[in-house]
Amino acid sequence: SGEYIYFLDSDDYILNGTLTMLLKEAEEQNADFTYGKKASTWFRRMVYLAALAEKNEETSEEQDPGDHEQSDEHEQVVQEQTVQEQLRQEASENNPDSTDMEAPVNLSRRERKILKVQNKLVEATGMDAELLKLRAEAYHSLLVTRKGLRNISVLGILFRKSFIDENRIRFNDDYIFFSDSTFVVQVLQKMNTAYYVQEAVYVKRKHNDPIHYPALSQLKAEDKFEEYLLAYKECVSYTAEGSVLRSYLENKLISYYAGTYAPRLRRSEKETWRTDRFDMMRSVMQEVNPEIIKHLKKYKKQIVKALLKGNVKRATYVVSRHLGLKKVKKIRKNKRVFAYYLYHKFFTKMSVKENWVLCESFFGKSYSDSPKYIYEYLSKNYPGKYRFIWVVNKRTKIPYRHTRVKRFSIRYCYYLARCKYDVFNVRQPEWVRKREGNVFLETWHGTPLKKLVFDQEEVMGASPLYKAQFYKQSRVWDYLVAANHFSTEAFRSAFLFDKEILEYGYPRNDILHSENREQIASEIKKKLRIPENKKTILYAPTWRDDEYYGRGEYKFALKLDLHLLKKELGKDYVVLLRTHYFIADSLDVTGLEDFAFNVSKYDDISELYLISDMLITDYSSVFFDYANLKRPILFYTYDLDKYRDMLRGFYMDIETEVPGPLLFTNEEVVDAIRDIDHISAQYKDKYDEFYERFCSLEDGHAAENIAKRVFNL
Ligand code: C2G
């Protein structure tokens, strides 16, 4: 109607009904503006996207089962109720990335904080408390809770246009980063009535690919500081001296100076932070109400005083002491931080040991995968030439001479700094620095079906920093292993990796081509007490990005009906259950003791392949490896739509390119197992094609070939 203005960013989400709610309230109350909750944190975004996935699932159930097209569309609208419910739960749930989260918004706490603002307003203006309540609420939501000036935003607010026009509130076109702050401050200064609508949720999408598509806030611009001061000064100019609004801005300036600016005094290589910019900062600080400075706590007061005196040396000393003490406290509280501190301060100053090799597989959770096979090859063929250090967090048998360390222990940090060679199958910690002479062999851990890192549009279950972190970590790698050419191409685009890729097959699959594999299999079967007279089915599903307890701890609800399988197939088969290493849930097999074996804790899945007559998986990369054995593979893909369309996306068409049937119900699984010979015959050509494409490089010598190349043997 032209009566209202609503700002939103093109790639953000607003929930279905949000605008209607804001509009209704605006009309009823004749408010200057109405606004709701802005969900910009990583966790809330997750909650929103999970609800979106749920909505999609519901729509796809209503569809013709063969028609998946509709769910391909990226839906922007979610059933509001589900989201509201989830947001309510948010306060009580644990957040895996706690550093990235605002304090949970619990109503009474919010009200308490607003009351504080209200009291200040009453004190300053002498106006009626009830009249000031709406203003206090707006100050709290749009100014106080927003960190710095940068997070002050007009997004998710419905403005009455006449209010904007009559008060001539405008954006300042000169700004790039802080334009919203000056607008919002004018709004808060001029407002009479504004209403908060709790249910009106606006979801800020965090850009998770700062390498290719940085958000404004992720850009490192040289003159951001100058703009900050300009915007700050403009904001202040709209407020009256000694007013509550002014005091909030002044406090923000002090926090910015003490928390963001000051650390640069000692860290930055650029002199200007200690000269010109220091003077600029000083002249702005001189305008701040001395009463505010008088009541600051010790650190802030000291460093502000040093600034006012123009004493850069003293300011640097104050901040160094403050940060130093903070660090000492952290180190004393947390052993890991201590280890990491030693790594930086001491271990990386020691020489790199030419023949030391550090091996880590799946974050120290097991002795397995390609690092194991490379290690065994080197230990067997070059005895005494290298000193090996294995990262393992549990007691497990490891052959040959080696040293054991636990991940994140002091010794771990020590060896990370000193080993010339690193052989990892997952990412190393982010703080690891590349040292001169270091050779990092990243074996990775599977041919990808599901899209990885930079090929994923929206990274679920990971912090918005995920892609940037991955980029930094993969710069440390010197070699990457690929089992086939398909992987090489995927890794190049997903990891933006431009160094050498060793397309030699996977060391972990060498065992599948070994001559004595029958004998190895029978020994493993004995060790695991699996009846020799029955056929073995390995069920090895992957993890789901949206089902988790905390960081790296995922839920898994078993959808395979073991009781049905036992009833129908128990006479001839046993089932080995193998969850992914991220899964924290432990599967319950009580009552199924002689039929289902939980092998989730078994170190090396390659050995389990050897003892299995058939594999059931979903979207895990395990089938690429298992195909080396040319044994039957079934895909139990009960949540295909959600997984493919919402969570990940695939590198290939799972419906036509995999070497076995997709099954959606337990009955279909039972029928397929019964009919396995027929299915194998049916899939023969496809299987052969698949083998050619993904397994033909594997010749049982991958570990040897890779070791020779990387270790220059
Ligand atoms: N794995 C396992 N048991 C499972 C699932 C996986 O032991 N039930 C092991 C296998 O070695 C597998 C590897 O973990 O190859 C990776 O598992 P995926 O399910 O493929 O998932 P993810 O860890 O996300 O890795 O390029 C491959 C991708 O990186 C996928």
PDB file of all heavy atoms in Angstrom, residues 1-29:
ATOM      1  N   SER A   1       0.823  -1.213   0.000  1.00  0.00           N
ATOM      2  CA  SER A   1       0.000   0.000   0.000  1.00  0.00           C
ATOM      3  C   SER A   1       0.857   1.262   0.000  1.00  0.00           C
ATOM      4  O   SER A   1       0.340   2.346  -0.077  1.00  0.00           O
ATOM      5  CB  SER A   1      -0.893  -0.001   1.241  1.00  0.00           C
ATOM      6  OG  SER A   1      -0.057   0.149   2.386  1.00  0.00           O
ATOM      7  N   GLY A   2       2.150   1.065   0.134  1.00  0.00           N
ATOM      8  CA  GLY A   2       3.024   2.233   0.181  1.00  0.00           C
ATOM      9  C   GLY A   2       3.063   2.870   1.558  1.00  0.00           C
ATOM     10  O   GLY A   2       3.695   3.888   1.765  1.00  0.00           O
ATOM     11  N   GLU A   3       2.393   2.259   2.526  1.00  0.00           N
ATOM     12  CA  GLU A   3       2.364   2.865   3.856  1.00  0.00           C
ATOM     13  C   GLU A   3       3.497   2.376   4.744  1.00  0.00           C
ATOM     14  O   GLU A   3       3.789   2.960   5.771  1.00  0.00           O
ATOM     15  CB  GLU A   3       1.040   2.527   4.538  1.00  0.00           C
ATOM     16  CG  GLU A   3      -0.076   3.473   4.170  1.00  0.00           C
ATOM     17  CD  GLU A   3      -1.331   3.100   4.912  1.00  0.00           C
ATOM     18  OE1 GLU A   3      -1.290   3.071   6.158  1.00  0.00           O
ATOM     19  OE2 GLU A   3      -2.336   2.801   4.241  1.00  0.00           O
ATOM     20  N   TYR A   4       4.084   1.257   4.371  1.00  0.00           N
ATOM     21  CA  TYR A   4       5.110   0.666   5.243  1.00  0.00           C
ATOM     22  C   TYR A   4       6.372   0.322   4.459  1.00  0.00           C
ATOM     23  O   TYR A   4       6.333   0.090   3.254  1.00  0.00           O
ATOM     24  CB  TYR A   4       4.574  -0.605   5.908  1.00  0.00           C
ATOM     25  CG  TYR A   4       3.439  -0.318   6.859  1.00  0.00           C
ATOM     26  CD1 TYR A   4       2.125  -0.421   6.428  1.00  0.00           C
ATOM     27  CD2 TYR A   4       3.699   0.067   8.169  1.00  0.00           C
ATOM     28  CE1 TYR A   4       1.073  -0.124   7.283  1.00  0.00           C
ATOM     29  CE2 TYR A   4       2.663   0.363   9.031  1.00  0.00           C
ATOM     30  CZ  TYR A   4       1.346   0.266   8.583  1.00  0.00           C
ATOM     31  OH  TYR A   4       0.331   0.554   9.427  1.00  0.00           O
ATOM     32  N   ILE A   5       7.448   0.267   5.172  1.00  0.00           N
ATOM     33  CA  ILE A   5       8.719  -0.166   4.563  1.00  0.00           C
ATOM     34  C   ILE A   5       9.282  -1.315   5.394  1.00  0.00           C
ATOM     35  O   ILE A   5       9.326  -1.237   6.617  1.00  0.00           O
ATOM     36  CB  ILE A   5       9.791   0.947   4.578  1.00  0.00           C
ATOM     37  CG1 ILE A   5       9.248   2.219   3.936  1.00  0.00           C
ATOM     38  CG2 ILE A   5      11.044   0.501   3.850  1.00  0.00           C
ATOM     39  CD1 ILE A   5      10.244   3.373   3.996  1.00  0.00           C
ATOM     40  N   TYR A   6       9.689  -2.351   4.700  1.00  0.00           N
ATOM     41  CA  TYR A   6      10.308  -3.484   5.398  1.00  0.00           C
ATOM     42  C   TYR A   6      11.617  -3.814   4.697  1.00  0.00           C
ATOM     43  O   TYR A   6      11.642  -4.035   3.501  1.00  0.00           O
ATOM     44  CB  TYR A   6       9.367  -4.690   5.339  1.00  0.00           C
ATOM     45  CG  TYR A   6       9.836  -5.883   6.133  1.00  0.00           C
ATOM     46  CD1 TYR A   6       9.686  -5.923   7.514  1.00  0.00           C
ATOM     47  CD2 TYR A   6      10.430  -6.965   5.502  1.00  0.00           C
ATOM     48  CE1 TYR A   6      10.120  -7.009   8.248  1.00  0.00           C
ATOM     49  CE2 TYR A   6      10.867  -8.062   6.232  1.00  0.00           C
ATOM     50  CZ  TYR A   6      10.698  -8.080   7.604  1.00  0.00           C
ATOM     51  OH  TYR A   6      11.126  -9.162   8.327  1.00  0.00           O
ATOM     52  N   PHE A   7      12.696  -3.839   5.451  1.00  0.00           N
ATOM     53  CA  PHE A   7      14.001  -4.149   4.836  1.00  0.00           C
ATOM     54  C   PHE A   7      14.355  -5.618   5.050  1.00  0.00           C
ATOM     55  O   PHE A   7      14.181  -6.132   6.154  1.00  0.00           O
ATOM     56  CB  PHE A   7      15.103  -3.330   5.493  1.00  0.00           C
ATOM     57  CG  PHE A   7      14.939  -1.851   5.311  1.00  0.00           C
ATOM     58  CD1 PHE A   7      14.467  -1.059   6.342  1.00  0.00           C
ATOM     59  CD2 PHE A   7      15.268  -1.257   4.101  1.00  0.00           C
ATOM     60  CE1 PHE A   7      14.327   0.305   6.179  1.00  0.00           C
ATOM     61  CE2 PHE A   7      15.128   0.103   3.938  1.00  0.00           C
ATOM     62  CZ  PHE A   7      14.651   0.891   4.981  1.00  0.00           C
ATOM     63  N   LEU A   8      14.822  -6.264   3.997  1.00  0.00           N
ATOM     64  CA  LEU A   8      15.399  -7.589   4.216  1.00  0.00           C
ATOM     65  C   LEU A   8      16.536  -7.822   3.235  1.00  0.00           C
ATOM     66  O   LEU A   8      16.556  -7.244   2.159  1.00  0.00           O
ATOM     67  CB  LEU A   8      14.355  -8.700   4.122  1.00  0.00           C
ATOM     68  CG  LEU A   8      13.860  -9.195   2.785  1.00  0.00           C
ATOM     69  CD1 LEU A   8      13.268 -10.574   2.953  1.00  0.00           C
ATOM     70  CD2 LEU A   8      12.795  -8.286   2.233  1.00  0.00           C
ATOM     71  N   ASP A   9      17.458  -8.675   3.651  1.00  0.00           N
ATOM     72  CA  ASP A   9      18.589  -9.005   2.796  1.00  0.00           C
ATOM     73  C   ASP A   9      18.147 -10.096   1.840  1.00  0.00           C
ATOM     74  O   ASP A   9      17.386 -10.977   2.219  1.00  0.00           O
ATOM     75  CB  ASP A   9      19.724  -9.553   3.679  1.00  0.00           C
ATOM     76  CG  ASP A   9      20.967  -8.708   3.542  1.00  0.00           C
ATOM     77  OD1 ASP A   9      20.924  -7.740   2.770  1.00  0.00           O
ATOM     78  OD2 ASP A   9      21.966  -9.020   4.198  1.00  0.00           O
ATOM     79  N   SER A  10      18.679 -10.044   0.624  1.00  0.00           N
ATOM     80  CA  SER A  10      18.128 -10.933  -0.405  1.00  0.00           C
ATOM     81  C   SER A  10      18.260 -12.416  -0.079  1.00  0.00           C
ATOM     82  O   SER A  10      17.458 -13.221  -0.517  1.00  0.00           O
ATOM     83  CB  SER A  10      18.807 -10.646  -1.730  1.00  0.00           C
ATOM     84  OG  SER A  10      20.190 -10.784  -1.547  1.00  0.00           O
ATOM     85  N   ASP A  11      19.277 -12.800   0.694  1.00  0.00           N
ATOM     86  CA  ASP A  11      19.404 -14.242   0.925  1.00  0.00           C
ATOM     87  C   ASP A  11      19.025 -14.650   2.342  1.00  0.00           C
ATOM     88  O   ASP A  11      19.309 -15.738   2.779  1.00  0.00           O
ATOM     89  CB  ASP A  11      20.817 -14.738   0.567  1.00  0.00           C
ATOM     90  CG  ASP A  11      21.881 -13.943   1.286  1.00  0.00           C
ATOM     91  OD1 ASP A  11      21.514 -13.003   2.018  1.00  0.00           O
ATOM     92  OD2 ASP A  11      23.061 -14.271   1.139  1.00  0.00           O
ATOM     93  N   ASP A  12      18.368 -13.770   3.063  1.00  0.00           N
ATOM     94  CA  ASP A  12      17.888 -14.151   4.390  1.00  0.00           C
ATOM     95  C   ASP A  12      16.528 -14.817   4.272  1.00  0.00           C
ATOM     96  O   ASP A  12      15.966 -14.915   3.188  1.00  0.00           O
ATOM     97  CB  ASP A  12      17.756 -12.911   5.280  1.00  0.00           C
ATOM     98  CG  ASP A  12      19.121 -12.333   5.622  1.00  0.00           C
ATOM     99  OD1 ASP A  12      20.116 -13.028   5.372  1.00  0.00           O
ATOM    100  OD2 ASP A  12      19.172 -11.209   6.111  1.00  0.00           O
ATOM    101  N   TYR A  13      16.011 -15.260   5.397  1.00  0.00           N
ATOM    102  CA  TYR A  13      14.697 -15.893   5.399  1.00  0.00           C
ATOM    103  C   TYR A  13      13.767 -15.153   6.347  1.00  0.00           C
ATOM    104  O   TYR A  13      14.188 -14.727   7.417  1.00  0.00           O
ATOM    105  CB  TYR A  13      14.788 -17.337   5.918  1.00  0.00           C
ATOM    106  CG  TYR A  13      15.874 -18.171   5.302  1.00  0.00           C
ATOM    107  CD1 TYR A  13      17.107 -18.294   5.943  1.00  0.00           C
ATOM    108  CD2 TYR A  13      15.654 -18.857   4.110  1.00  0.00           C
ATOM    109  CE1 TYR A  13      18.106 -19.079   5.393  1.00  0.00           C
ATOM    110  CE2 TYR A  13      16.639 -19.646   3.559  1.00  0.00           C
ATOM    111  CZ  TYR A  13      17.873 -19.747   4.205  1.00  0.00           C
ATOM    112  OH  TYR A  13      18.850 -20.525   3.670  1.00  0.00           O
ATOM    113  N   ILE A  14      12.524 -15.022   5.944  1.00  0.00           N
ATOM    114  CA  ILE A  14      11.542 -14.603   6.941  1.00  0.00           C
ATOM    115  C   ILE A  14      10.515 -15.710   7.037  1.00  0.00           C
ATOM    116  O   ILE A  14      10.164 -16.340   6.042  1.00  0.00           O
ATOM    117  CB  ILE A  14      10.861 -13.252   6.626  1.00  0.00           C
ATOM    118  CG1 ILE A  14      10.338 -13.213   5.195  1.00  0.00           C
ATOM    119  CG2 ILE A  14      11.787 -12.103   6.912  1.00  0.00           C
ATOM    120  CD1 ILE A  14       9.449 -12.021   4.967  1.00  0.00           C
ATOM    121  N   LEU A  15      10.049 -15.939   8.217  1.00  0.00           N
ATOM    122  CA  LEU A  15       9.116 -17.040   8.405  1.00  0.00           C
ATOM    123  C   LEU A  15       7.746 -16.672   7.873  1.00  0.00           C
ATOM    124  O   LEU A  15       7.347 -15.510   7.893  1.00  0.00           O
ATOM    125  CB  LEU A  15       9.007 -17.394   9.888  1.00  0.00           C
ATOM    126  CG  LEU A  15      10.295 -17.788  10.575  1.00  0.00           C
ATOM    127  CD1 LEU A  15       9.997 -18.536  11.849  1.00  0.00           C
ATOM    128  CD2 LEU A  15      11.160 -18.640   9.670  1.00  0.00           C
ATOM    129  N   ASN A  16       7.058 -17.676   7.441  1.00  0.00           N
ATOM    130  CA  ASN A  16       5.707 -17.491   6.958  1.00  0.00           C
ATOM    131  C   ASN A  16       4.866 -16.833   8.056  1.00  0.00           C
ATOM    132  O   ASN A  16       4.824 -17.307   9.171  1.00  0.00           O
ATOM    133  CB  ASN A  16       5.152 -18.884   6.635  1.00  0.00           C
ATOM    134  CG  ASN A  16       3.904 -18.785   5.799  1.00  0.00           C
ATOM    135  OD1 ASN A  16       3.559 -17.705   5.332  1.00  0.00           O
ATOM    136  ND2 ASN A  16       3.241 -19.895   5.611  1.00  0.00           N
ATOM    137  N   GLY A  17       4.242 -15.728   7.730  1.00  0.00           N
ATOM    138  CA  GLY A  17       3.365 -15.092   8.724  1.00  0.00           C
ATOM    139  C   GLY A  17       4.022 -13.928   9.441  1.00  0.00           C
ATOM    140  O   GLY A  17       3.335 -13.105  10.038  1.00  0.00           O
ATOM    141  N   THR A  18       5.335 -13.833   9.359  1.00  0.00           N
ATOM    142  CA  THR A  18       6.035 -12.768  10.078  1.00  0.00           C
ATOM    143  C   THR A  18       5.536 -11.373   9.672  1.00  0.00           C
ATOM    144  O   THR A  18       5.176 -10.548  10.507  1.00  0.00           O
ATOM    145  CB  THR A  18       7.558 -12.884   9.856  1.00  0.00           C
ATOM    146  OG1 THR A  18       8.040 -13.919  10.694  1.00  0.00           O
ATOM    147  CG2 THR A  18       8.283 -11.608  10.192  1.00  0.00           C
ATOM    148  N   LEU A  19       5.497 -11.139   8.371  1.00  0.00           N
ATOM    149  CA  LEU A  19       5.081  -9.821   7.903  1.00  0.00           C
ATOM    150  C   LEU A  19       3.650  -9.512   8.291  1.00  0.00           C
ATOM    151  O   LEU A  19       3.327  -8.390   8.692  1.00  0.00           O
ATOM    152  CB  LEU A  19       5.233  -9.758   6.382  1.00  0.00           C
ATOM    153  CG  LEU A  19       6.511  -9.101   5.905  1.00  0.00           C
ATOM    154  CD1 LEU A  19       6.628  -9.165   4.404  1.00  0.00           C
ATOM    155  CD2 LEU A  19       6.538  -7.643   6.357  1.00  0.00           C
ATOM    156  N   THR A  20       2.782 -10.518   8.184  1.00  0.00           N
ATOM    157  CA  THR A  20       1.372 -10.317   8.529  1.00  0.00           C
ATOM    158  C   THR A  20       1.250  -9.903   9.991  1.00  0.00           C
ATOM    159  O   THR A  20       0.484  -9.000  10.324  1.00  0.00           O
ATOM    160  CB  THR A  20       0.604 -11.635   8.318  1.00  0.00           C
ATOM    161  OG1 THR A  20       1.092 -12.231   7.125  1.00  0.00           O
ATOM    162  CG2 THR A  20      -0.878 -11.402   8.227  1.00  0.00           C
ATOM    163  N   MET A  21       2.028 -10.573  10.839  1.00  0.00           N
ATOM    164  CA  MET A  21       1.959 -10.259  12.264  1.00  0.00           C
ATOM    165  C   MET A  21       2.444  -8.836  12.542  1.00  0.00           C
ATOM    166  O   MET A  21       1.843  -8.109  13.324  1.00  0.00           O
ATOM    167  CB  MET A  21       2.805 -11.253  13.065  1.00  0.00           C
ATOM    168  CG  MET A  21       2.117 -12.580  13.266  1.00  0.00           C
ATOM    169  SD  MET A  21       3.094 -13.623  14.354  1.00  0.00           S
ATOM    170  CE  MET A  21       4.236 -14.342  13.204  1.00  0.00           C
ATOM    171  N   LEU A  22       3.552  -8.476  11.874  1.00  0.00           N
ATOM    172  CA  LEU A  22       4.093  -7.131  12.095  1.00  0.00           C
ATOM    173  C   LEU A  22       3.107  -6.065  11.623  1.00  0.00           C
ATOM    174  O   LEU A  22       2.896  -5.040  12.270  1.00  0.00           O
ATOM    175  CB  LEU A  22       5.426  -6.971  11.355  1.00  0.00           C
ATOM    176  CG  LEU A  22       6.615  -7.773  11.904  1.00  0.00           C
ATOM    177  CD1 LEU A  22       7.841  -7.571  11.025  1.00  0.00           C
ATOM    178  CD2 LEU A  22       6.942  -7.354  13.343  1.00  0.00           C
ATOM    179  N   LEU A  23       2.483  -6.348  10.482  1.00  0.00           N
ATOM    180  CA  LEU A  23       1.556  -5.393   9.879  1.00  0.00           C
ATOM    181  C   LEU A  23       0.318  -5.216  10.755  1.00  0.00           C
ATOM    182  O   LEU A  23      -0.148  -4.093  10.972  1.00  0.00           O
ATOM    183  CB  LEU A  23       1.174  -5.906   8.486  1.00  0.00           C
ATOM    184  CG  LEU A  23       0.413  -4.946   7.597  1.00  0.00           C
ATOM    185  CD1 LEU A  23       1.221  -3.685   7.366  1.00  0.00           C
ATOM    186  CD2 LEU A  23       0.091  -5.595   6.251  1.00  0.00           C
ATOM    187  N   LYS A  24      -0.165  -6.334  11.249  1.00  0.00           N
ATOM    188  CA  LYS A  24      -1.378  -6.293  12.062  1.00  0.00           C
ATOM    189  C   LYS A  24      -1.144  -5.399  13.290  1.00  0.00           C
ATOM    190  O   LYS A  24      -1.950  -4.512  13.588  1.00  0.00           O
ATOM    191  CB  LYS A  24      -1.717  -7.729  12.500  1.00  0.00           C
ATOM    192  CG  LYS A  24      -3.049  -7.860  13.149  1.00  0.00           C
ATOM    193  CD  LYS A  24      -3.443  -9.336  13.230  1.00  0.00           C
ATOM    194  CE  LYS A  24      -4.528  -9.501  14.266  1.00  0.00           C
ATOM    195  NZ  LYS A  24      -4.064  -9.904  15.573  1.00  0.00           N
ATOM    196  N   GLU A  25      -0.049  -5.643  13.937  1.00  0.00           N
ATOM    197  CA  GLU A  25       0.280  -4.875  15.143  1.00  0.00           C
ATOM    198  C   GLU A  25       0.484  -3.401  14.797  1.00  0.00           C
ATOM    199  O   GLU A  25       0.008  -2.513  15.503  1.00  0.00           O
ATOM    200  CB  GLU A  25       1.555  -5.445  15.779  1.00  0.00           C
ATOM    201  CG  GLU A  25       1.881  -4.910  17.139  1.00  0.00           C
ATOM    202  CD  GLU A  25       1.062  -5.578  18.235  1.00  0.00           C
ATOM    203  OE1 GLU A  25       0.305  -6.524  17.945  1.00  0.00           O
ATOM    204  OE2 GLU A  25       1.170  -5.121  19.375  1.00  0.00           O
ATOM    205  N   ALA A  26       1.170  -3.148  13.687  1.00  0.00           N
ATOM    206  CA  ALA A  26       1.439  -1.761  13.285  1.00  0.00           C
ATOM    207  C   ALA A  26       0.131  -1.014  13.057  1.00  0.00           C
ATOM    208  O   ALA A  26      -0.016   0.141  13.461  1.00  0.00           O
ATOM    209  CB  ALA A  26       2.286  -1.750  12.020  1.00  0.00           C
ATOM    210  N   GLU A  27      -0.819  -1.691  12.406  1.00  0.00           N
ATOM    211  CA  GLU A  27      -2.095  -1.030  12.104  1.00  0.00           C
ATOM    212  C   GLU A  27      -2.922  -0.823  13.361  1.00  0.00           C
ATOM    213  O   GLU A  27      -3.479   0.246  13.587  1.00  0.00           O
ATOM    214  CB  GLU A  27      -2.868  -1.857  11.070  1.00  0.00           C
ATOM    215  CG  GLU A  27      -2.349  -1.555   9.675  1.00  0.00           C
ATOM    216  CD  GLU A  27      -2.996  -2.391   8.601  1.00  0.00           C
ATOM    217  OE1 GLU A  27      -3.636  -3.406   8.932  1.00  0.00           O
ATOM    218  OE2 GLU A  27      -2.840  -2.023   7.423  1.00  0.00           O
ATOM    219  N   GLU A  28      -2.968  -1.859  14.183  1.00  0.00           N
ATOM    220  CA  GLU A  28      -3.788  -1.757  15.391  1.00  0.00           C
ATOM    221  C   GLU A  28      -3.293  -0.664  16.328  1.00  0.00           C
ATOM    222  O   GLU A  28      -4.052   0.056  16.941  1.00  0.00           O
ATOM    223  CB  GLU A  28      -3.796  -3.092  16.147  1.00  0.00           C
ATOM    224  CG  GLU A  28      -4.923  -3.986  15.678  1.00  0.00           C
ATOM    225  CD  GLU A  28      -4.827  -5.370  16.282  1.00  0.00           C
ATOM    226  OE1 GLU A  28      -4.152  -5.541  17.316  1.00  0.00           O
ATOM    227  OE2 GLU A  28      -5.422  -6.288  15.688  1.00  0.00           O
ATOM    228  N   GLN A  29      -1.981  -0.561  16.426  1.00  0.00           N
ATOM    229  CA  GLN A  29      -1.402   0.361  17.406  1.00  0.00           C
ATOM    230  C   GLN A  29      -0.995   1.690  16.793  1.00  0.00           C
ATOM    231  O   GLN A  29      -0.515   2.566  17.506  1.00  0.00           O
ATOM    232  CB  GLN A  29      -0.152  -0.275  18.043  1.00  0.00           C
ATOM    233  CG  GLN A  29      -0.339  -1.681  18.537  1.00  0.00           C
ATOM    234  CD  GLN A  29      -1.051  -1.730  19.875  1.00  0.00           C
ATOM    235  OE1 GLN A  29      -1.319  -0.691  20.475  1.00  0.00           O
ATOM    236  NE2 GLN A  29      -1.392  -2.917  20.329  1.00  0.00           N
TER     237      GLN A  29
END
